[in-house]
Amino acid sequence: MRHRLLAPTFCLLLAGCVGKAGDGPAPGGPDAATPGFTCDSAAVPATPPLRRLSRQQHRNAVGDLVSYLLPGDAPAILANAAALFNAVPPDKREGPGGKFGAYTRLDQTVHQEYIDATYQIATFVGAELTASPSRLGAVAGDCATNPDAGDDDACLDDFIRRFGERALRRPVSDEDIAFYRAVAGAPPFDPPDYADVIGLLLTAPSMLYFVEHGTGDGAVVPVTSYELAARLSFHFWQTTPDEELLAAARSGALDTPEGYEAQLDRLVDDPRTRASIASFFSEWLYREDLEELDTRLGTPVFDAFIGDFVPGPELRERMFAEVTDMALYYTFDSGGTFSDLFTSTQSFARTDDLATLYGVPVWDGTSPPPELPDGSRVGLLTRAALLATGSANTRPIMKGVFLRKAILCDEIPPPPANANSKKPELSKTYSTRQVVEQVTEQPGTACAGCHAGFINPLGFATENFDALGRSRKSQVLYDPETGEVVGEAPIDTSSVPMVTAGETAPSKGAADLSRLMVESGKPQACFARQYFRFTFGRAESLDTDGCALAALHGRMSEGESLRNVLRSVALIDAFRMRSFDGQ
């Protein structure tokens, strides 16, 4: 039953759509992303732009290069450089869906602050690595500090060839040596000369960017062995190739199926891959709209709402961490599939506060995760990170938009010009669902077609969880001025979520919605698109990237483990090829 409220009848700015009630999905709605992809082997992807290393990749790469040259002193040098690394501008999360499933790897902004900061790091590291005869000797050999140990020219050339291969991620030619040694002037070479060479190498385009030339002629050609090694290491480890991977590129072993598979498995099994995959999941499932959970402490309604549970300043990030831990568990520890992750009934809360919200023991990270006691808390959609709001009120519209865009990869058109930016407020009389329905679903309005059709139904499915993510049977109503409890409103989680266009299957709540989503194949298809963006640092094209997307989606549809799916991105042609169309 719909209740008539004294509320605006125009839709919210964030989630507005065009169309009228009864019109069906607005353009860009549920039918915008179909579960399958079309592979056209003749399609040529657009030439990718020259990509720079992300802030984290640059920091990791410099750290590994310093450790390569001077392992014993590397921790102290890098600690002293911390302020310089922090001066590198943070990458912004970007993506075709805006903030819904956006990744820092897609930020390719280069401005003066970036140039200045990377230059300062390079010159500092060069000076530190050559700060004493013992350090210089360890970095470049005895010939760099002992005039009787060898030829100065040969000593510098050998250092450039060895270190240059690591820093530039390619073989160093005689022309390269001539270029990089020029900064040192004429022999004899002193520590500042070596420092300048190091600084020049650390600011080289091949160091700061993914410079790829490929092999052979044609619109799409294989990348070189060294370029492939860099793709592997920066994708799975977020850093430069190690010696074993470079050796495989140098010897040609990486060009053989056996050698490539061996290196791929070694990289995937390394703990650094967990950190990289963690960044993928954390950015994919990150909700920028989730406010800090302790900012409203001291306000009457919020204090009454939280009761004896007092959220701290770290709870928000702990909620996100739980989702990441959950994803890593199913990817690396349990051999789980995407469906296992999406429909999990286990808790991955590592701290007392979040475990208390769930009503479970704290997970120690090694034992089997505890089962959630509430049978309605099923899967990814019922995690606190996807439910909490930072207020006393749930946000079903925001939840619906997030699920529609980040989990299903559907598009939502811009709001109409008269859209209201004010969030629905708590009512003394009606549930949040009733308020939202009145504000956004009145027949004949510009909002009803989208909200009633495919935004609100997704958000309503989890209304049996409050704004902290706690399970509830009814919604407590408060006086907005005093915080006094004035009544209760029934909870209604039923809806027709229309996961795919024209679907009329009903849902009673989150468990049904999760099942309908998995059965539709759309979250799997969206996952393939999201992981493609993370891997290649660009938005996908359904026309020219269909083969890569189909390969990823196919493995998921066949029920392969998440580990194998994430590993398999390095086995598709797109990972080992580069387009030079139009060059």
Side-chain angles (χ1 to χ4, degrees):
M1 178 179 179
R2 301 274 175 87
H3 295 263
R4 185 168 183 82
L5 309 179
L6 296 177
T9 59
F10 39 89
C11 50
L12 301 184
L13 179 61
L14 178 65
C17 301
V18 296
K20 297 180 180 179
D23 286 347
D31 53 345
T34 55
F37 300 100
T38 300
C39 175
D40 179 1
S41 59
V44 177
T47 301
L50 181 65
R51 291 172 54 207
R52 66 167 172 82
L53 303 188
S54 71
R55 186 191 200 213
Q56 187 63 56
Q57 288 170 340
H58 173 260
R59 187 168 194 157
N60 291 347
V62 172
D64 283 349
L65 290 170
V66 173
S67 297
Y68 163 72
L69 290 176
L70 205 61
D73 292 353
I77 293 174
L78 296 173
N80 291 336
L84 298 177
F85 282 112
N86 291 338
V88 177
D91 298 317
K92 298 179 181 178
R93 295 172 62 247
E94 295 185 356
K99 61 187 178 182
F100 299 95
Y103 305 95
T104 53
R105 290 188 180 189
L106 272 68
D107 182 5
Q108 292 300 302
T109 305
V110 178
H111 33 62
Q112 193 61 47
E113 290 84 356
Y114 177 83
I115 301 301
D116 291 344
T118 53
Y119 173 80
Q120 292 294 332
I121 291 169
T123 55
F124 176 84
V125 167
E128 286 290 301
L129 289 172
T130 59
S132 67
S134 61
R135 281 188 175 182
L136 179 57
V139 164
D142 289 343
C143 58
T145 58
N146 183 358
D148 299 326
D151 181 86
D152 273 355
D153 286 309
C155 189
L156 182 59
D157 291 354
D158 177 68
F159 171 74
I160 294 173
R161 195 175 299 277
R162 287 186 297 105
F163 183 60
E165 183 191 39
R166 298 293 295 260
L168 306 179
R169 306 184 291 278
R170 60 174 173 78
V172 176
S173 66
D174 292 340
E175 290 79 8
D176 289 325
I177 291 176
F179 175 80
Y180 287 104
R181 78 189 312 274
V183 72
F189 303 116
D190 55 22
D193 295 327
Y194 276 91
D196 287 343
V197 170
I198 293 171
L200 189 59
L201 283 164
L202 292 180
T203 54
S206 290
M207 165 63 193
L208 298 176
Y209 296 84
F210 294 101
V211 178
E212 297 177 335
H213 298 283
T215 60
D217 299 320
V220 182
V221 300
V223 295
T224 69
S225 297
Y226 280 83
E227 291 163 358
L228 185 55
R231 284 193 178 191
L232 285 169
S233 65
F234 277 103
H235 174 65
F236 289 107
W237 290 353
Q238 299 211 80
T239 190
T240 192
D242 65 359
E243 180 55 37
E244 185 173 342
L245 187 53
L246 281 178
R250 192 184 304 126
S251 69
L254 200 60
D255 296 326
T256 68
E258 298 80 11
Y260 187 76
E261 290 269 1
Q263 288 300 315
L264 176 57
D265 284 332
R266 185 177 71 87
L267 266 71
V268 171
D269 291 337
D270 190 281
R272 285 173 287 187
T273 293
R274 291 182 70 102
S276 180
I277 297 303
S279 67
F280 162 63
F281 280 107
S282 63
E283 291 187 358
W284 174 38
L285 299 172
Y286 187 82
R287 286 178 48 217
E288 290 189 347
D289 63 283
L290 175 52
E291 303 172 18
E292 295 291 344
L293 300 175
D294 62 337
T295 57
R296 299 180 190 238
L297 291 175
T299 59
V301 172
F302 191 74
D303 286 353
F305 161 70
I306 62 175
D308 294 334
F309 181 88
V310 180
E314 297 177 341
L315 180 57
R316 179 180 185 270
E317 296 308 316
R318 289 171 178 173
M319 289 179 174
F320 286 127
E322 192 233 351
V323 173
T324 301
D325 285 338
M326 176 180 173
L328 292 177
Y329 174 81
Y330 284 106
T331 301
F332 295 105
D333 301 328
S334 73
T337 65
F338 180 84
S339 295
D340 293 331
L341 167 66
F342 208 78
T343 60
S344 172
T345 58
Q346 294 176 298
S347 167
F348 299 85
R350 291 178 181 259
T351 54
D352 287 330
D353 47 5
L354 185 54
T356 298
L357 287 180
Y358 288 161
V360 295
V362 172
W363 182 48
D364 62 9
T366 57
S367 303
E371 285 287 327
L372 293 161
D374 185 353
S376 65
R377 194 184 293 275
V378 176
L380 184 63
L381 310 187
T382 61
R383 301 294 147 165
L386 275 64
L387 299 171
T389 68
S391 71
N393 199 9
T394 58
R395 301 276 187 250
I397 295 175
M398 302 291 288
K399 287 187 290 185
V401 172
F402 178 83
L403 296 181
R404 188 63 71 183
K405 299 188 72 171
I407 306 299
L408 298 176
C409 286
D410 287 335
E411 296 180 4
I412 298 178
N418 66 339
N420 182 17
S421 62
K422 187 178 181 181
K423 299 180 179 71
E425 298 293 339
L426 282 170
S427 167
K428 295 171 59 175
T429 310
Y430 303 107
S431 71
T432 297
R433 173 168 182 161
Q434 291 166 346
V435 173
V436 169
E437 287 175 336
Q438 173 66 18
V439 171
T440 64
E441 297 186 17
Q442 290 191 21
T445 65
C447 309
C450 278
H451 279 274
F454 63 96
I455 293 178
N456 296 352
L458 297 181
F460 291 155
T462 54
E463 278 297 283
N464 58 317
F465 300 100
D466 69 15
L468 276 174
R470 298 176 297 194
S471 179
R472 64 182 182 180
K473 301 296 184 182
S474 62
Q475 180 175 342
V476 179
L477 305 177
Y478 302 95
D479 182 290
E481 300 296 330
T482 66
E484 180 184 357
V485 175
V486 294
E488 291 185 354
I491 294 295
D492 182 5
T493 60
S494 63
S495 67
V496 179
M498 197 162 58
V499 176
T500 57
E503 181 186 17
T504 59
S507 164
K508 295 181 180 179
D512 279 348
L513 178 59
S514 297
R515 175 182 53 80
L516 290 171
M517 284 187 172
V518 169
E519 290 176 353
S520 76
K522 284 188 67 174
Q524 296 92 320
C526 186
F527 183 90
R529 297 173 70 171
Q530 300 286 4
Y531 190 51
F532 180 97
R533 297 167 191 172
F534 178 79
T535 301
F536 295 99
R538 63 177 178 85
E540 73 284 2
S541 165
L542 297 182
D543 294 326
T544 58
D545 296 316
C547 293
L549 295 167
L552 290 170
H553 184 231
R555 288 179 178 269
M556 299 179 70
S557 299
E558 293 168 4
E560 290 201 24
S561 69
L562 268 172
R563 178 191 181 278
N564 285 349
V565 171
L566 297 175
R567 172 187 181 275
S568 72
V569 76
L571 299 175
I572 62 179
D573 289 342
F575 194 87
R576 294 183 275 191
M577 308 289 285
R578 191 187 193 281
S579 171
F580 287 89
D581 180 40
Q583 290 191 356

